[in-house]
Amino acid sequence: MIFFITSAVVALVASILLVPMASKRKDGTGPSMNAKVKVFIGAFILILMTTMIVVYVTKMDMNWLAFAPAIVVLALLGAIFAMGTERKVKGAIFLVSLLACAYLFAAPLLNANDKFKSAEMKEKVELTPFDETKKPASVPPKFVRNKMKKAFGQVPDASYYELGSLQIQKVAGDYVYVAPVEFTGFFRWMKGDTTPGYFMMSATDSTANPKFIKQEMRYIPSAYLNKNLTRHMRLNHPKMIFYGKPQMEVNDDGKPYYIRSYGKYISARDGFDVKGLIMVDAQSGKIEQYALKDVPKWVDGAIAPEVVSLQNSYYGNYIHGFWNSVMSKKDVKLPSDEGTEANVSPVFDENGDMYYFTDFTSPKKGVDSMLGYSLTNAQTGEATYYTGDLSESYMDSQGALQIIEKKFIEKKWKGQMPILYNFYGEASWLTPVLDANGFLQNYFIVSAANPEISVFATTPQEALKLYKVALTRGGSTVENVADAEEKKVTGKVQRVYKERIGDYTMVNILLDNGQNFIVSTEAEPLAIYIEVADELAITYGDTGEQFLPIKEVELKGLKIKE
């Protein structure tokens, strides 16, 4: 009904502009008033139908400025056909609408400062150190998508459907990927009407298998006519300004919904400032609207990744206005395009809150140094820009991917989804490594400030253990970056545990004084010989962790050192 009323108002205004209202010319000739009424009614019906078809097909918003170009044409034609005072009035409307169109086209040149203010971020130096007892959501989406496709046989009448867009989120306390089952075409939709459900897979455990969750969904992106999700949203909110694609969110009971960000233009019809979201029940089509502050807690990605990517662009490009962004580029920083969703990557903090990560680099070609990085809260929109240690030169995400490509050049493996973490006080890139077929092979960690310090292993936890040792033997690197005070201790081995990780063995030692230590045979190859009851003299970095990293160890009668 709202859609029809809005279309009718547009058609009425357009008909008034187009159809001459005066009944006679000065010489008394011209069509009668009755004929003009018929023309007016005919024009109204034609424009009403055209407006409804155009808006229905394109799903555009129905704000007045959206029709400014059409008003220019209609007012011009109306002025040509009209006479006397009516021609003057419609001529004036033509000039005003022409100025409105000029304003629309000029808006990007005028509102750059407002865009920057809308995206302004708090600034900090570094992230808080990562808690190594937690598991990062580090399974790459390309790998997950491959596994879901291989599990598609779980779907009833699988030939009707295809896998939809992947979305990471927290469901009932677990970090998971979800992907809806979508229709493959119009005739499949006509016959099926609803899709049978969606897939879910762990985002922290690469060995997990996808599970198909049965939940009938009717209002989805691949449906047609009024059941098409974006059209259903538009018909119920004809004037609302949307940005970004709809995303599926699953509540803690496994019920699927679709959400989409709405907001307002910065000025004219340019720029976007997010204000909230609308939520659609995928089964019933029921729509609810939420301001950002009222979004349900179970919704992780309240703000679309496209919105965050746009805000990052505003913040990086428009610090000194529009012309500076295209000419001198003073203080300009370009957001990376290495993200997994609209050039940003979703990550979770220790509290389970989702953020979008982006690193920023220099606009100069051939430079792979990082100028900083940002984290945007996916539920509130609050963003923080981290400058990093200004005394260090950090490598950006593209540089990390290049190191991985060179490391595995013979195998043709490549990295995906590089995320910057604070591991043991060191800004470090954690990147999953995939083979040419998209299957996960290992996890690669490299220091952003010291690219020569890098490790890889089959799991993030194993890679972290190796990385701790690699930092320890980095000498001044540990003291300056990881802030580990060097200490010495002697004692008898109470317990020893050896674990094979990649090409090396991690040796875990418990001394009789109750302290735990860890060392890799990569750093101390002869540590493989340590046994219970051995007397050791250990030099270690006092990081305050449960397992302290060994820098040097000596066994009575045998010096264990490279």
Side-chain angles (χ1 to χ4, degrees), residues 143-156 158 163 181 198-201 208-213 439:
F143 172 69
V144 173
R145 191 168 187 83
N146 281 346
K147 294 194 76 170
M148 286 184 176
K149 284 182 176 179
K150 291 185 179 301
F152 215 74
Q154 300 178 40
V155 181
L163 194 64
V181 170
Y198 60 90
F199 278 96
M200 180 183 292
M201 179 178 159
N209 290 316
K211 294 181 180 179
F212 178 68
I213 311 297
F439 289 101

Side-chain angles (χ1 to χ4, degrees), residues 303-521:
I303 298 176
E306 292 90 347
V307 173
V308 177
S309 185
L310 188 68
Q311 291 174 337
N312 287 336
S313 176
Y314 294 162
Y315 183 75
N317 282 285
Y318 298 139
I319 185 170
H320 299 306
F322 175 81
W323 293 113
N324 177 73
S325 70
V326 296
M327 297 178 71
S328 64
K329 298 188 178 182
K330 179 185 177 183
D331 297 326
V332 167
K333 41 191 178 287
L334 300 180
S336 164
D337 59 358
E338 297 298 339
T340 58
E341 295 184 24
N343 297 333
V344 298
S345 294
V347 296
F348 290 88
D349 68 3
E350 64 275 8
N351 299 317
D353 296 325
M354 193 168 90
Y355 288 79
Y356 291 113
F357 168 83
T358 311
D359 64 302
F360 291 74
T361 190
S362 170
K364 293 182 180 179
K365 292 184 178 180
V367 177
D368 63 359
S369 62
M370 184 175 66
L371 300 180
Y373 52 98
S374 69
L375 285 174
T376 302
N377 189 300
Q379 196 169 58
T380 67
E382 294 180 0
T384 302
Y385 181 77
Y386 295 87
T387 61
D389 186 347
L390 298 178
S391 65
E392 300 276 3
S393 179
Y394 285 177
M395 172 179 59
D396 65 10
S397 58
Q398 187 61 43
L401 293 176
Q402 289 172 357
I403 288 177
I404 293 172
E405 189 171 353
K406 292 176 182 177
K407 182 77 174 179
F408 304 105
I409 190 168
E410 293 182 357
K411 296 180 178 180
K412 297 182 180 180
W413 294 354
K414 293 185 178 181
Q416 189 192 48
M417 197 177 75
I419 303 292
L420 195 73
Y421 288 91
N422 182 341
F423 290 142
Y424 315 114
E426 179 92 352
S428 313
W429 289 105
L430 170 64
T431 309
V433 180
L434 282 70
D435 63 19
N437 295 316
F439 289 101
L440 184 64
Q441 295 299 324
N442 61 49
Y443 289 90
F444 193 91
I445 303 179
V446 59
S447 167
N450 302 280
E452 66 277 7
I453 301 177
S454 65
V455 299
F456 61 91
T458 54
T459 69
Q461 289 72 31
E462 291 175 352
L464 277 173
K465 289 180 181 179
L466 291 174
Y467 192 60
K468 182 191 293 187
V469 176
L471 286 176
T472 303
R473 71 171 190 272
S476 61
T477 300
V478 172
E479 293 177 0
N480 294 336
V481 181
D483 298 324
E485 181 185 355
E486 186 174 288
K487 291 185 177 181
K488 295 183 178 182
V489 67
T490 59
K492 181 179 289 187
V493 177
Q494 295 289 99
R495 293 286 189 276
V496 61
Y497 175 72
K498 298 168 186 176
E499 179 183 12
R500 184 74 175 179
I501 298 177
D503 296 330
Y504 303 98
T505 298
M506 298 298 296
V507 181
N508 300 269
I509 302 164
L510 171 63
L511 289 188
D512 53 4
N513 66 356
Q515 286 183 297
N516 296 282
F517 298 90
I518 186 170
V519 65
S520 170
T521 55

Side-chain angles (χ1 to χ4, degrees), residues 535-546:
E535 292 280 350
L536 301 181
I538 295 175
T539 302
Y540 66 95
D542 188 11
T543 60
E545 297 164 298
Q546 185 175 8

Side-chain angles (χ1 to χ4, degrees), residues 187-237:
F187 293 105
R188 300 294 192 190
W189 170 74
M190 285 285 290
K191 193 168 183 179
D193 187 44
T194 64
T195 56
Y198 60 90
F199 278 96
M200 180 183 292
M201 179 178 159
S202 171
T204 59
D205 183 6
S206 62
T207 64
N209 290 316
K211 294 181 180 179
F212 178 68
I213 311 297
K214 292 183 178 180
Q215 282 278 353
E216 280 197 348
M217 294 187 288
R218 180 172 280 105
Y219 293 86
I220 56 175
S222 60
Y224 289 83
L225 303 179
N226 288 6
K227 300 297 174 60
N228 176 267
L229 179 68
T230 52
R231 181 170 291 118
H232 180 66
M233 293 176 173
R234 175 55 67 206
L235 293 178
N236 283 272
H237 295 280

